Amino acid sequence: MNARPLEARTPPPTSVEDARFAHESEEEFARILDFYGVRWQYEPRTFPLQYADDGRIVEAFSPDFYLPDLDLYIELTTLKQGLVTDKHRKLRRLQELYPGVHVKLLYKRDYLSLLTKYGIGGFGEGDGADVREILHSASEIERRVNDLGAQLTRDYAGRAPLFVGVLKGVTCFMADLMRHTSLPISIDFMTISSYEGDRSGAVRIVQDLAEDIHGRDVLLVEDIVDTGMTLATLLTMLRAREPATLAVCALLDKRVRRLVDVPLGYVGFEIPDEFVVGYGLDYRQRFRNLPFIATLAPEALQKK
Ligand code: 5GP
């Protein structure tokens, strides 16, 4: 058998604008390469790994990136261990069949440390190691918030809504959402805290709004809705002030945990029942400056 790689039918994409990435992490990796000025091609070649007796290709491998200046193929792997094992097997086979070809498998931890180096993370010392999984990348969040802004612009056309944010988790979301909304909006914030030891989940206003919301079109902007208790209490408080309309825009919806039914007019992402940080959300006041939304490693959740 004379194994040789198959060229892509059309010239491979070499810019983020032209490429249709299969996975978010690939796009982010391409941006990192651009940042460092490293030229790349996306999936330019397919390496047949196994042929049937009649010569048909029955198994093949297309590495994600080729870096022509380094003559190096890169395969990203942010996936589950089972898939990594399969990739290892394929890579070994590739090296046997194409000994002159250089391929590197980039693991999640390599990728995270690259993000840190790249400086987009604002990772504190050691924060990268505390992240377990990125649920929504910075570029994915940007696209979704852009869509939400466009939707709000349509729905509130001809009006001047007041965006009310609950500090501190909402800071990143509010800052981005308002910039993607083309309306004469105003913003205001309130700070709340749960009563110590109060199991009802009742909330106390620590710092109230500066604006009078009577007769206004109010949009309550929330970072995350979990059981719905906080939001339900807030809505009751705000309704008592008689706004003209009152709607909710939440970035994250942990729907599976809901105890109180709350109306969510706008939702960024529905997420599973896991504790998340980043993009404003904290764990003991840390991780708010991560540009993505991630779960934490169990060790990080145990740290004081
Ligand atoms: P709820 O009253 O809906 O149960 O909780 C809402 C509040 O709990 C949010 O505003 C947020 O402060 C906090 N919260 C709930 N889930 C998470 C999470 O996964 N990560 C973080 N950082 N805060 C959360």
Side-chain angles (χ1 to χ4, degrees):
M1 179 187 66
N2 186 14
R4 62 189 166 84
L6 307 170
E7 296 294 324
R9 218 176 301 163
T10 50
T14 55
S15 74
V16 172
E17 290 69 36
D18 291 342
R20 287 180 62 114
F21 295 103
H23 199 274
E24 285 292 320
S25 58
E26 294 171 1
E27 178 174 341
E28 222 128 56
F29 183 67
R31 288 186 193 279
I32 292 172
L33 293 173
D34 284 346
F35 179 80
Y36 282 120
V38 178
R39 292 192 306 141
W40 53 268
Q41 301 172 353
Y42 182 61
E43 293 190 338
R45 238 150 261 134
T46 296
F47 294 88
L49 296 182
Q50 218 181 305
Y51 296 82
D53 288 339
D54 62 2
R56 268 181 310 118
I57 299 165
V58 288
E59 185 171 43
F61 190 60
S62 312
D64 298 322
F65 291 88
Y66 177 60
L67 315 183
D69 299 329
L70 307 176
D71 187 25
L72 178 69
Y73 291 87
I74 300 273
E75 174 68 14
L76 295 186
T77 175
T78 54
L79 302 165
K80 296 191 179 68
Q81 191 52 46
L83 295 170
V84 173
T85 311
D86 193 49
K87 276 188 182 174
H88 273 292
R89 183 188 59 75
K90 284 188 172 178
L91 277 185
R92 273 199 306 275
R93 178 90 183 128
L94 193 148
Q95 303 282 226
E96 281 164 25
L97 292 174
Y98 311 89
V101 170
H102 307 292
V103 192
K104 191 167 160 41
L105 201 62
L106 202 62
Y107 293 95
K108 177 103 183 250
R109 58 175 180 276
D110 303 327
Y111 174 63
L112 287 174
S113 71
L114 260 178
L115 281 180
T116 312
K117 251 174 80 183
Y118 179 54
I120 65 160
F123 279 117
E125 188 69 22
D127 279 2
D130 287 337
V131 168
R132 185 169 60 113
E133 188 187 8
I134 297 177
L135 293 187
H136 295 290
S137 69
S139 48
E140 201 183 343
I141 297 171
E142 190 184 329
R143 274 198 293 274
R144 186 69 193 117
V145 175
N146 197 346
D147 288 349
L148 285 173
Q151 202 182 339
L152 290 168
T153 304
R154 282 194 300 276
D155 293 357
Y156 284 86
R159 292 186 280 166
L162 173 68
F163 286 11
V164 166
V166 183
L167 292 173
K168 302 173 189 168
V170 82
T171 45
C172 294
F173 183 39
M174 180 68 109
D176 288 342
L177 186 68
M178 64 190 224
R179 283 180 291 181
H180 283 113
T181 309
S182 310
L183 292 168
I185 65 150
S186 339
I187 60 165
D188 203 351
F189 293 96
M190 65 199 302
T191 311
I192 57 166
S193 91
S194 299
Y195 283 121
E196 288 286 316
D198 186 335
R199 292 209 200 125
S200 71
V203 292
R204 179 169 61 89
I205 296 179
V206 176
Q207 170 123 21
D208 207 343
L209 300 173
E211 304 268 334
D212 180 7
I213 66 166
H214 186 265
R216 304 283 309 266
D217 289 304
V218 173
L219 182 76
L220 184 59
V221 182
E222 269 277 28
D223 50 0
I224 182 164
V225 182
D226 186 6
T227 62
M229 309 264 244
T230 312
L231 185 59
T233 316
L234 273 173
L235 287 174
T236 306
M237 285 176 183
L238 294 177
R239 250 185 233 117
R241 301 179 188 187
E242 300 183 328
T245 61
L246 180 59
V248 181
C249 178
L251 176 67
L252 303 174
D253 180 6
K254 239 190 243 183
R255 199 161 298 174
V256 286
R257 298 247 311 161
R258 195 75 86 254
L259 296 179
V260 188
D261 195 24
V262 278
L264 299 186
Y266 306 87
V267 171
F269 304 101
E270 198 177 314
I271 59 163
D273 180 11
E274 293 201 68
F275 189 82
V276 294
V277 295
Y279 196 66
L281 289 156
D282 75 310
Y283 175 61
R284 302 186 173 182
Q285 300 305 325
R286 269 180 68 200
F287 307 107
R288 290 196 198 275
N289 57 336
L290 298 180
F292 42 72
I293 292 160
T295 55
L296 287 177
E299 307 85 76
L301 286 167
Q302 280 149 20
K303 275 187 206 165
K304 291 275 175 198

